[in-house]
Amino acid sequence: MKIHVRDFDFYYGDTKVLHGINLDVPERQVTALIGPSGCGKSTFIRSINRMNDVIPEARGEGLIEVDGKNIYAPGTDVVALRRRVGMVFQKSNPFPKSIFDNVAYGLRIGGVRNKRELADTVERSLQRAALWKEVKDRLHDSAMALSGGQQQRLCIARALAVDPEILLMDEPASALDPIATTKIEELISELKESYTIVIVTHNMQQAARVSDRTAFFMMGRLVEYDDTNTIFINPKEKMTEDYVTGRFG
Amino acid sequence: MKSPRPAQRGEGPEIMSYATRRKIVSRIAEVLCGVCILLALLPLALILFYVIKEGAGALNLAFFTHTPKPVGELGGGMGNAIVGTLILIGLAALFAVPIGCIAGIHLSEYQGTRFGSAVRFAADVLNGVPSIVIGIFAYGLVVLPVKRFSAIAGGGALGLLMLPIVVRTTEELLRLVPPGMREGALALGATRSRAVFTVIFPAALPGILTGILVALARVAGETAPLLFTSFNNQYWSTNITQPMASLTVQVFTYANSPYEDWIRQAWAGAFLLVMIILALSIVARLAVRRLERMNRA
Amino acid sequence: MHVQRHFDRDIEEIKAVLLRMGAMVEEAMQQSIRALLDGDLAVAEQVIANDDRIDQMEIQIDQHVIELIAKMQPAAGDLRFVATVMKITPELERIADLAQDVCERVIELSHEPAIKPMTYLPRLAEDAQKMVRDALDAFVRGDAELARKVIRNDDVVDQLTEESFRALLTYMLENPRNISPAIRLTFIGKYFERMADGATNICEMVVYLVEGRMIKHSADPS
């Protein structure tokens, strides 16, 4: 198991938003987190790279292990963790820099100065993110000039450049048109050959299309976690059935 | 569109008259707005008109290259005052920009802290302090101890005037940077300070620069704080520990004089001041446009 | 908070049409049995004439289901329902066709010497009809237990078919003039056996609908 979660609770101040989550994410597979708004799926995915640390008075209790190491143990190097656990956000967030500088950002703050190495990694990352062909002639143009779908793929390339093992995607296609969405989904299927992917999505069809495993969250609890086929064809819990058939939401 | 209510008691014509009344009210509002805009722009137009009419004619090469002549002699120029003004606003920027930007970063990064609120309140109060009071403050702090007017004191006073503007624009513009950018940087393994200095601050830079240039343009036109600080100087001087001439003080002095030639030169100085401020504004625009090419499509 | 879904209305509509179709299929079966036992040719003709309407209903259900898949992308229970309907309707249509085949053979038999008694055929027909009726009931009620019972009964029907064939074989051996009608009756026995197979298939889908388990082609249906 790449990620191992046991009895994980999460609090915003006095409000408990995640209740005893138990979940194992297998390596090199896509695990989808679904559930209605406010069910805790985003909070959960942001716990895996400790992005929630930014929020004052937010704290997690319990165990989240990445490769067998508790990431909430005291003395954990959060910066190192985030370089192993990349993240792509709902709203594409390219920096107001050139395409090249965006992809090279993670490398540069990691101390890479060698121009050759930078250029090679940028090209490789853009290729992996299926963006290279579209931008190779304008690497030094502003990333802000790209379309929404290209920006999102740029953000994926940027995350891949630091060579993470896990890729967290928080509704990566929810702001994109159908064609751009399809491209991202295709990309996810390709990336799972090399990366462990956890994706939060509001779009149940998307979860059904891209994931191997699906976890259904509801009111801060993990209701059901199983093979995606089981969740979408024959879920065991009534709540899951009601959610995937649109009776609830 | 149909009226949702059933038509009764000849409502048709009433609706018509309502529509007509609405159009009339709309028209009146439009005209009123137009008049107000004209009233607001009229003084500006008049100022520009007079300054150009009186000032442009008085400009000549000597005005830019010569120092003022003693009373009674014709000719001379404000060359030293032009250089002085540039040095003074340069000093002001040197003083206000680093402190202002860093304070602004602090305010936007530590929102909601008690200290942050205090700093923000202080900046707002400072922004409201009359410039002459700032001048007296700099006089007391710098001029009195060394018993000499100096450009440093003048630049400091101008910088103090600029400071709250720089602090608040920096803060506001940093806050406008989408939070997603910070998250993006953090998710790539950037520390908080790294994220601020490599992503957030650069993203806000075009706007911050505009703020700085606008603040510079504002203080370039200040006279009162300079009267107690850099004072005036009849001679060429680039020594910042000495009194220094400035366009505003020179214009102030000449405009109050009974001599026709000085008054003429005061107009020219005023004209040049307006032009410098205009140039700063244009530079601000151009610089921002260049920088923003990375920020926008 | 529960949501009122368009989907539920569609499901109800499809169910209603499917049940009307089921009722007509049952009736066709019933009538074919009457035609066989009473030699009632008028009833036989009527069954043959009615088959068109059943075919039309199959098309109607198919179209509705395809539209539903296109528009609603059903999941979980909805998905299993839609899949079940798509597999049940052809079975029903085939059962109606088989009833029609029975009636055609009955009409042919009227020109030939009668074979009496028809041994196991009446029981075979009754059993097959009961299986079809129970299969439809199991579908309507979502009763996997009943469906399993029907599936187990298929062996009995197969047995009856075999015994009916052996009995008819003795008739043929006794008298060559019996060969032609006995062969037609053998066919009829086979038709009822296939109707029972149809009921079994329906029931397998009912178990899938209710439990999400594919029991088709597995030795142990429980």
Side-chain angles (χ1 to χ4, degrees):
Chain A
M1 285 300 134
K2 193 71 181 169
I3 305 169
H4 175 77
V5 183
R6 280 294 168 277
D7 301 319
F8 187 73
D9 299 332
F10 200 88
Y11 300 83
Y12 290 123
D14 294 332
T15 322
K16 195 172 182 181
V17 292
L18 286 177
H19 305 260
I21 306 298
N22 288 298
L23 180 144
D24 287 333
V25 176
E27 191 164 11
R28 287 168 204 227
Q29 288 197 10
V30 179
T31 301
L33 312 179
I34 62 169
S37 298
C39 69
K41 56 191 190 300
S42 273
T43 300
F44 178 67
I45 200 175
R46 296 166 65 94
S47 301
I48 304 175
N49 67 345
R50 292 189 50 176
M51 276 308 279
N52 286 327
D53 287 15
V54 187
I55 303 159
E57 291 182 31
R59 67 179 201 283
E61 283 174 11
L63 181 70
I64 296 185
E65 285 180 357
V66 173
D67 282 332
K69 280 177 88 178
N70 182 3
I71 61 164
Y72 280 87
T76 302
D77 181 354
V78 179
V79 165
L81 170 74
R82 289 183 189 149
R83 294 176 76 84
R84 284 173 60 208
V85 185
M87 188 162 202
V88 176
F89 298 85
Q90 174 177 11
K91 234 178 139 278
S92 59
N93 52 358
F95 306 137
K97 302 172 186 291
S98 72
I99 293 168
F100 186 95
D101 288 345
N102 262 277
V103 183
Y105 182 83
L107 296 168
R108 284 191 174 134
I109 60 170
V112 178
R113 287 282 172 274
N114 184 317
K115 281 202 168 146
R116 186 67 190 278
E117 189 184 343
L118 284 173
D120 287 350
T121 313
V122 166
E123 176 174 349
R124 195 171 58 244
S125 307
L126 284 168
Q127 259 161 355
R128 277 192 184 165
L131 190 62
W132 175 251
K133 277 185 197 144
E134 291 160 65
V135 301
K136 65 172 189 284
D137 298 324
R138 46 176 175 141
L139 288 176
H140 297 285
D141 285 6
S142 169
M144 310 309 259
L146 297 173
S147 73
Q150 289 173 325
Q151 286 191 6
Q152 195 58 297
R153 276 178 285 145
L154 179 73
C155 292
I156 294 173
R158 193 173 69 185
L160 297 182
V162 296
D163 202 24
E165 295 154 47
I166 297 168
L167 205 52
L168 308 175
M169 303 180 128
D170 191 356
E171 297 185 43
S174 66
L176 302 181
D177 66 65
I179 291 170
T181 301
T182 309
K183 279 191 183 154
I184 298 282
E185 288 178 5
E186 290 294 322
L187 184 57
I188 291 170
S189 303
E190 278 168 33
L191 291 175
K192 80 168 179 186
E193 306 283 322
S194 338
Y195 304 90
T196 302
I197 296 173
V198 182
I199 175 172
V200 165
T201 175
H202 263 126
N203 181 336
M204 279 181 278
Q205 291 305 314
Q206 183 170 68
R209 281 191 298 264
V210 303
S211 70
D212 303 292
R213 307 269 296 164
T214 297
F216 170 56
F217 281 74
M218 176 101 168
M219 295 166 83
R221 287 185 167 81
L222 178 62
V223 175
E224 191 169 352
Y225 177 48
D226 212 322
D227 285 346
T228 297
N229 283 338
T230 306
I231 296 289
F232 285 96
I233 297 172
N234 190 23
K236 292 185 181 49
E237 301 292 330
K238 172 123 188 3
M239 261 199 258
T240 316
E241 166 95 26
D242 284 352
Y243 184 68
V244 298
T245 56
R247 284 188 181 85
F248 202 101
Chain B
M1 219 163 56
K2 275 183 189 165
S3 161
R5 292 164 297 161
Q8 283 174 347
R9 296 177 279 106
E11 223 172 18
E14 224 174 277
I15 289 168
M16 282 289 291
S17 78
Y18 173 69
T20 320
R21 202 166 66 226
R22 212 175 49 196
K23 269 185 200 152
I24 291 168
V25 171
S26 165
R27 191 89 202 120
I28 290 170
E30 262 175 46
V31 170
L32 221 61
C33 287
V35 169
C36 288
I37 289 167
L38 281 181
L39 279 177
L41 288 179
L42 193 67
L44 178 66
L46 282 176
I47 289 168
L48 282 177
F49 174 73
Y50 273 109
V51 167
I52 291 168
K53 186 178 147 230
E54 303 285 337
L59 278 181
N60 51 36
L61 188 64
F63 181 84
F64 289 97
T65 51
H66 287 211
T67 54
K69 286 271 160 76
V71 181
E73 279 185 49
L74 283 180
M78 294 193 181
N80 58 340
I82 296 167
V83 172
T85 287
L86 293 179
I87 289 173
L88 284 169
I89 62 176
L91 284 172
L94 213 62
F95 171 67
V97 170
I99 297 175
C101 284
I102 289 166
I105 288 171
H106 177 91
L107 287 184
S108 83
E109 283 296 305
Y110 297 93
Q111 285 169 32
T113 61
R114 200 172 275 269
F115 182 65
S117 313
V119 171
R120 192 174 301 117
F121 182 69
D124 286 345
V125 171
L126 188 60
N127 198 21
V129 172
S131 58
I132 186 125
V133 176
I134 302 273
I136 291 168
F137 170 76
Y139 176 76
L141 202 72
V142 184
V143 177
L144 278 185
V146 298
K147 301 202 163 46
R148 189 163 70 202
F149 293 120
S150 69
I152 293 180
L158 293 184
L160 205 56
L161 273 172
M162 268 180 82
L163 190 62
I165 309 176
V166 176
V167 171
R168 293 311 301 272
T169 24
T170 306
E171 183 200 358
E172 294 299 329
L173 284 153
L174 286 176
R175 282 215 240 178
L176 285 179
V177 175
M181 281 192 194
R182 173 197 305 273
E183 289 191 327
L186 293 179
L188 288 166
T191 57
R192 187 171 178 177
S193 59
R194 199 90 200 228
V196 169
F197 287 108
T198 57
V199 173
I200 299 164
F201 189 75
L205 193 59
I208 292 172
L209 265 187
T210 321
I212 289 169
L213 287 169
V214 166
L216 270 182
R218 211 207 111 184
V219 299
E222 282 291 345
T223 317
L226 296 180
L227 289 173
F228 301 95
T229 51
S230 59
F231 191 58
N232 204 346
N233 194 331
Q234 294 301 109
Y235 309 102
W236 286 105
S237 168
T238 50
N239 184 344
I240 56 172
T241 62
Q242 295 293 329
M244 190 173 275
S246 57
L247 272 174
T248 44
V249 175
Q250 198 72 8
V251 167
F252 175 74
T253 317
Y254 275 17
N256 280 331
S257 75
Y259 313 110
E260 204 176 299
D261 190 47
W262 280 16
I263 289 172
R264 197 178 52 83
Q265 285 204 29
W267 277 114
F271 174 71
L272 192 62
L273 250 160
V274 170
M275 288 303 128
I276 286 173
I277 289 164
L278 191 70
L280 275 172
S281 304
I282 290 169
V283 167
R285 294 244 154 193
L286 290 178
V288 165
R289 202 170 298 167
R290 260 185 88 84
L291 283 164
E292 274 198 339
R293 222 179 284 158
M294 277 295 162
N295 280 19
R296 297 228 175 89
Chain C
M1 162 200 56
H2 263 244
V3 179
Q4 199 61 40
R5 305 182 314 158
H6 272 291
F7 206 105
D8 294 325
R9 221 179 52 206
D10 285 305
I11 284 179
E12 286 315 310
E13 274 173 32
I14 290 175
K15 248 185 177 165
V17 180
L18 193 71
L19 288 184
R20 272 214 310 283
M21 183 177 173
M24 286 176 72
V25 171
E26 267 189 67
E27 201 194 346
M29 257 185 109
Q30 174 101 37
Q31 287 177 325
S32 70
I33 293 170
R34 221 170 75 208
L36 172 67
L37 298 183
D38 304 349
D40 189 335
L41 298 185
V43 173
E45 298 284 359
Q46 202 191 327
V47 170
I48 294 167
N50 278 349
D51 193 53
D52 258 6
R53 283 175 52 203
I54 293 174
D55 291 350
Q56 287 307 312
M57 286 176 119
E58 187 198 6
I59 293 170
Q60 190 188 336
I61 291 170
D62 274 358
Q63 279 175 343
H64 201 150
V65 166
I66 288 169
E67 282 168 17
L68 210 57
I69 292 173
K71 286 191 282 199
M72 303 292 194
Q73 289 125 26
D78 297 335
L79 178 62
R80 300 203 305 275
F81 174 81
V82 165
T84 302
V85 169
M86 285 203 88
K87 297 206 111 190
I88 282 182
T89 26
E91 295 294 347
L92 285 174
E93 193 269 338
R94 199 165 309 137
I95 291 169
D97 281 353
L98 289 164
Q100 190 187 358
D101 290 341
V102 169
C103 291
E104 281 165 5
R105 296 297 91 74
V106 167
I107 291 167
E108 288 159 13
L109 278 169
S110 67
H111 309 299
E112 291 174 346
I115 291 181
K116 294 276 177 182
M118 283 184 279
T119 69
Y120 300 98
L121 259 189
R123 234 199 98 191
L124 172 60
E126 296 290 335
D127 267 28
Q129 191 191 6
K130 185 166 187 314
M131 278 173 73
V132 171
R133 188 186 304 133
D134 285 351
L136 284 166
D137 275 357
F139 170 71
V140 174
R141 300 208 299 258
D143 186 343
E145 262 331 289
L146 180 59
R148 284 201 164 84
K149 220 179 101 197
V150 174
I151 294 168
R152 279 194 296 272
N153 202 53
D154 193 44
D155 289 343
V156 178
V157 169
D158 288 351
Q159 195 69 32
L160 281 171
T161 315
E162 184 62 23
E163 279 168 22
S164 159
F165 169 66
R166 279 170 202 279
L168 289 166
L169 207 57
T170 15
Y171 281 115
M172 293 190 241
L173 292 172
E174 272 170 17
N175 186 352
R177 287 188 56 214
N178 281 341
I179 290 179
S180 178
I183 286 179
R184 293 194 207 283
L185 286 174
T186 309
F187 277 141
I188 289 175
K190 201 73 202 162
Y191 296 151
F192 281 114
E193 193 225 331
R194 284 206 204 138
M195 291 187 217
D197 286 346
T200 305
N201 290 342
I202 291 173
C203 287
E204 284 166 352
M205 287 313 292
V206 170
V207 173
Y208 175 73
L209 171 67
V210 178
E211 297 174 358
R213 293 210 288 160
M214 283 285 188
I215 58 165
K216 214 169 189 171
H217 309 308
S218 66
D220 179 19
S222 59

